[in-house]
Amino acid sequence: GIGGAMILNGRLHRGKHRLGGEFGYMLLSEPAETLGNWSLLASTGSLVRSVQARTSSQDWDGKKIYEAAAAGDETCQAAIEQMNRNLAKGLLNIQYLFDPDVISLGGSISQNPDFIQGVKKAVGNFVDTYEEYTVAPVIQACTYHADANLYGALVNWLQEENQW
């Protein structure tokens, strides 16, 4: 899935119902039989499910898909492009809703520079195609990549305990 957090004035913003930053629930497509939210359409899990549905193998993960794409596998390349487009839609929603200084992407996949560059390219394509988008978000990998959620949880706990 896609997790998230909003940091406002140096503090985690939770919102009235403690749902602030739950970006994975943003709708990207009209619900049909299944919900078309950001987590289901743009996460590493969605990438893996897409490739598994198009191949006979179930032994895929994000790293293997990027390796196969780099080796020329068109199925993996297409799945990555689709994931990047869906990520770009959500990132543009965040940009125009909150206008943040930066959007940092985490998870193990964020360690792959091809992932970050692909997402930036997909965002740039939307900005170049639609004149309504006048600003592209600044996108970078989280400093702590796959452990970003753990560090965020620690900072949140320290803030709640008034230790920070």
Side-chain angles (χ1 to χ4, degrees), residues 140-162:
Q140 65 184 26
C142 285
T143 301
Y144 298 109
H145 303 287
D147 294 330
N149 60 333
L150 300 175
Y151 284 98
L154 173 61
V155 169
N156 177 58
W157 181 81
L158 289 171
Q159 287 179 344
E160 284 186 354
E161 296 295 316
N162 294 317

Side-chain angles (χ1 to χ4, degrees), residues 28 36 50 61 64 128:
L28 294 188
S50 175
D61 61 30
K64 288 180 183 177
D128 291 345

Side-chain angles (χ1 to χ4, degrees), residues 5-39:
M6 275 190 326
I7 309 300
L8 300 175
N9 300 318
R11 303 205 49 94
L12 179 66
H13 172 77
R14 287 198 176 93
K16 180 178 179 178
H17 301 100
R18 302 181 70 78
L19 297 173
E22 290 290 348
F23 303 121
Y25 289 102
M26 289 188 305
L27 289 177
L28 294 188
S29 66
E30 187 173 329
E33 289 183 23
T34 59
L35 188 62
N37 70 26
W38 204 27
S39 282

Side-chain angles (χ1 to χ4, degrees), residues 95-148:
Q95 178 65 40
Y96 281 87
L97 184 60
F98 301 106
D99 196 19
D101 294 333
V102 65
I103 299 174
S104 298
L105 304 178
S108 294
I109 197 168
S110 69
Q111 297 174 71
N112 182 340
D114 292 337
F115 166 71
I116 298 296
Q117 290 307 318
V119 172
K120 287 180 178 181
K121 180 181 175 189
V123 167
N125 288 342
F126 277 108
V127 172
D128 291 345
T129 302
Y130 301 102
E131 64 185 39
E132 293 83 3
Y133 294 125
T134 58
V135 174
V138 175
I139 299 168
Q140 65 184 26
C142 285
T143 301
Y144 298 109
H145 303 287
D147 294 330

